[in-house]
Amino acid sequence: MTSRTIRTVETVGTETGTVETVGTETGTVGTGVKPPQLRAARVRKQSIIKFVILFVTLAFLFVPLLAMFIFTLRHPLSGRWSAAPWTAIFTGNGESLGADLSVLWQGVGISLSLSAVTVVIMLILLVPTMVIVHIRSKALERAIEWVATLPLTIPAIVLVVGLGPIYRWLSADVLSTNPIWLCFAYVILVMPFAFRAIAVGLNSIDVKTLVEASRSLGASWPKVFLKVIIPNLWQSILSASFISIAVVLGEYTVASLLGRMNLQVALYQLGQSNSQISTAMSLLALLFGVVLLVALDLISDAMRKSREGK
């Protein structure tokens, strides 16, 4: 309810003529606007709810990480505090703690190599296919989307059951048992995430108009793809690449069941001899994933600002 002043005009008759008198009266008119006190109370209530939700979410995420960090510093049996596990990782010498770090560095090298090869194969397969299908056929695009997202519904252990005979044949007759050939299986695992990232980029630009304009100016298809489409999809390609790297670095089931070495398998083996070093290295791997996501956000902002500046 708000107060409103109403102006009234009255005509009064007199012997010499008519005189208009002006008066005002104050009344209350009902509106949908709430008083400032109620609005302030509502804002405070919403702020408290947001703070509680944010606090619970952060606690759910960071309390386990904090527990892992404390475990790396405090010996589980003696209770003695020491930074020896972190020192062993950064110096590369874990013999004093009874751990062979050569397995760890081998797993790190293999996972990084797998990440690079997996990203290259994924981009070569997905980007041209999705661009062509996006231009030519919407129905086929939906079919490819269904195929690309299908690995999300299939557990990794089921994938290994199907991939096991294929890898046995590849290892014996075609390739070797080198862990780098896990890249073929990892392309399947990262495809749903990479597909969604690239699809967002394709839907945010008018691909058909860009292609038609470029072709009408005499550009060949390779030039259209490399100089027109790719620059507009660069942010989505980075997103797909970083997400794929994070998935590959965290994969354990496929490598373990196929008997191949990677970072997670190395961490498991290292945990049999020294669980503190294994936990510390797991924290570093998580930190690396966070750095990738932050780098993605910074690069995206820089690219957006540079595009707006042009």
Side-chain angles (χ1 to χ4, degrees):
M1 302 294 290
T2 59
S3 177
R4 179 177 297 178
T5 301
I6 302 175
R7 184 174 183 270
T8 60
V9 179
E10 296 181 359
T11 302
V12 181
T14 63
E15 295 181 354
T16 58
T18 59
V19 178
E20 291 185 352
T21 61
V22 180
T24 60
E25 61 182 52
T26 303
T28 57
V29 180
T31 63
V33 180
K34 295 183 178 181
Q37 295 83 358
L38 292 180
R39 290 200 301 271
R42 183 177 181 180
V43 170
R44 285 196 300 269
K45 184 178 180 181
Q46 291 177 347
S47 300
I48 294 174
I49 294 175
K50 291 178 182 179
F51 175 78
V52 171
I53 293 175
L54 180 62
F55 178 79
V56 172
T57 303
L58 292 178
F60 179 79
L61 293 175
F62 287 103
V63 167
L65 298 180
L66 179 62
M68 291 175 64
F69 181 70
I70 294 175
F71 176 78
T72 62
L73 298 176
R74 184 176 183 273
H75 196 277
L77 297 179
S78 64
R80 183 172 59 88
W81 293 81
S82 172
W86 294 95
T87 304
I89 290 176
F90 290 108
T91 59
N93 183 14
E95 295 180 358
S96 60
L97 299 177
D100 183 13
L101 295 185
S102 61
V103 176
L104 176 62
W105 303 128
Q106 180 186 3
V108 171
I110 291 172
S111 287
L112 292 177
S113 301
L114 278 170
S115 300
V117 177
T118 301
V119 167
V120 171
I121 297 176
M122 177 270 298
L123 293 178
I124 293 175
L125 288 178
L126 274 186
V127 176
T129 304
M130 292 181 64
V131 171
I132 294 172
V133 171
H134 186 81
I135 296 172
R136 298 295 185 184
S137 174
K138 289 292 183 181
L140 188 58
E141 185 179 21
R142 287 192 292 270
I144 292 179
E145 180 180 5
W146 180 80
V147 173
T149 56
L150 190 60
L152 286 177
T153 64
I154 303 176
I157 191 170
V158 176
L159 286 175
V160 174
V161 172
L163 292 172
I166 298 175
Y167 268 90
R168 185 165 54 248
W169 171 73
L170 288 175
S171 302
D173 301 331
V174 181
L175 303 174
S176 62
T177 58
N178 195 307
I180 196 65
W181 305 121
L182 284 174
C183 60
F184 301 125
Y186 286 171
V187 168
I188 299 175
L189 295 179
V190 305
M191 193 174 294
F193 311 102
F195 180 90
R196 294 311 312 165
I198 298 173
V200 170
L202 284 174
N203 293 328
S204 64
I205 61 176
D206 193 349
V207 181
K208 290 185 178 180
T209 302
L210 291 174
V211 172
E212 291 174 358
S214 302
R215 292 290 291 167
S216 64
L217 294 173
S220 61
W221 278 108
K223 284 187 177 180
V224 171
F225 183 75
L226 295 175
K227 295 185 177 182
V228 178
I229 303 299
I230 293 300
N232 285 280
L233 289 179
W234 192 245
Q235 184 175 348
S236 298
I237 291 174
L238 282 178
S239 301
S241 301
F242 285 174
I243 292 173
S244 299
I245 292 173
V247 171
V248 172
L249 291 179
E251 202 286 319
Y252 171 79
T253 306
V254 174
S256 177
L257 294 179
L258 290 179
R260 304 295 195 273
M261 175 64 69
N262 70 353
L263 174 60
Q264 299 302 320
V265 175
L267 289 176
Y268 173 77
Q269 294 181 2
L270 182 62
Q272 305 301 311
S273 57
N274 192 301
S275 58
Q276 286 183 296
I277 297 180
S278 177
T279 304
M281 194 62 199
S282 299
L283 281 175
L284 289 178
L286 289 173
L287 180 62
F288 181 70
V290 173
V291 170
L292 283 180
L293 295 178
V294 173
L296 172 62
D297 186 57
L298 294 177
I299 293 173
S300 300
D301 288 342
M303 293 178 65
R304 184 169 56 252
K305 290 179 181 178
S306 63
R307 190 179 299 113
E308 292 174 354
K310 294 180 180 180

